[in-house]
Amino acid sequence: MNDDRHFLAVVRRGRKVFLRRGLSVRLDALVGAPYGSMYEVERSRLIPATEAAGGDEGIGDPDDVTGDNRELCDTSANQKLTDRDIATLKDSGASSRDIVQALQEGSETFQQKTEFSREKWLRRKMKRHRTLVRLRRASALTICEALYAKDPFTVCSLRCDSLG
């Protein structure tokens, strides 16, 4: 996942994995997929992730920016949505794009930012609210990484770089 959490699961049709509170996905889309494939969780389904939505392609050159954001004050009062509102959106199954759109509409200072700052803000919010899943081959290294991240004592505090 995009927040460096690891899940160990056998990929079979009909199998479900619980990713976080209120979010479980079926692994049917992963059957037969090549290792290293990226998927986005959208409305409890796995769909192939587009590279443009998660990459740096849309960001312009910071040297080409006219104007600045000096007069903008970065406080939580600028955002009309609360954490509870965002959690409600996530629990209702809203996609990451819908959540970011709601955050953008709830921001009082978004329209006053420079174009570069807007793109950077959108990319940062997408990274935070987008749930990505990468299919990785099970090996001693990946299993050790996942178990060590979850609870180091399950592998006797053996780090993955000790495997050689």
Side-chain angles (χ1 to χ4, degrees), residues 100-157:
V100 171
Q101 181 69 28
L103 285 169
Q104 181 180 346
E105 291 169 0
S107 175
E108 294 179 359
T109 59
F110 184 77
Q111 293 302 322
Q112 294 139 5
K113 294 181 180 203
T114 63
E115 184 177 345
F116 178 77
S117 294
R118 283 187 219 146
E119 291 176 6
K120 185 176 165 185
W121 185 89
L122 288 171
R123 186 185 62 192
R124 191 173 65 238
K125 296 300 177 185
M126 277 300 288
K127 183 178 180 184
R128 179 173 183 180
H129 295 288
R130 188 177 186 200
T131 303
L132 294 174
V133 175
R134 180 184 305 269
L135 181 63
R136 295 178 67 187
R137 179 186 299 269
S139 66
L141 180 67
T142 57
I143 292 171
C144 186
E145 281 178 350
L147 292 175
Y148 187 81
K150 188 172 184 178
D151 182 18
F153 294 112
T154 59
V155 286
C156 298
S157 297

Side-chain angles (χ1 to χ4, degrees), residues 21-69:
R21 181 185 59 116
L23 180 63
S24 63
V25 295
R26 289 192 171 274
L27 301 180
D28 295 343
L30 300 180
V31 174
Y35 292 114
S37 301
M38 290 285 290
Y39 290 87
E40 181 176 359
V41 178
E42 194 167 294
R43 291 176 178 41
S44 297
R45 292 182 309 127
L46 289 173
I47 58 171
T50 58
E51 294 299 321
D56 296 338
E57 288 86 11
I59 302 298
D61 185 16
D63 297 332
D64 295 339
V65 174
T66 58
D68 57 30
N69 295 326

Side-chain angles (χ1 to χ4, degrees), residues 86-100:
I86 296 169
T88 304
L89 282 172
K90 284 185 178 182
D91 290 343
S92 70
S95 69
S96 58
R97 289 172 186 80
D98 296 338
I99 294 170
V100 171

Side-chain angles (χ1 to χ4, degrees), residues 60-80:
D61 185 16
D63 297 332
D64 295 339
V65 174
T66 58
D68 57 30
N69 295 326
R70 275 186 275 186
E71 69 279 355
L72 299 180
C73 184
D74 188 21
T75 64
S76 60
N78 293 336
Q79 182 56 253
K80 295 175 189 170

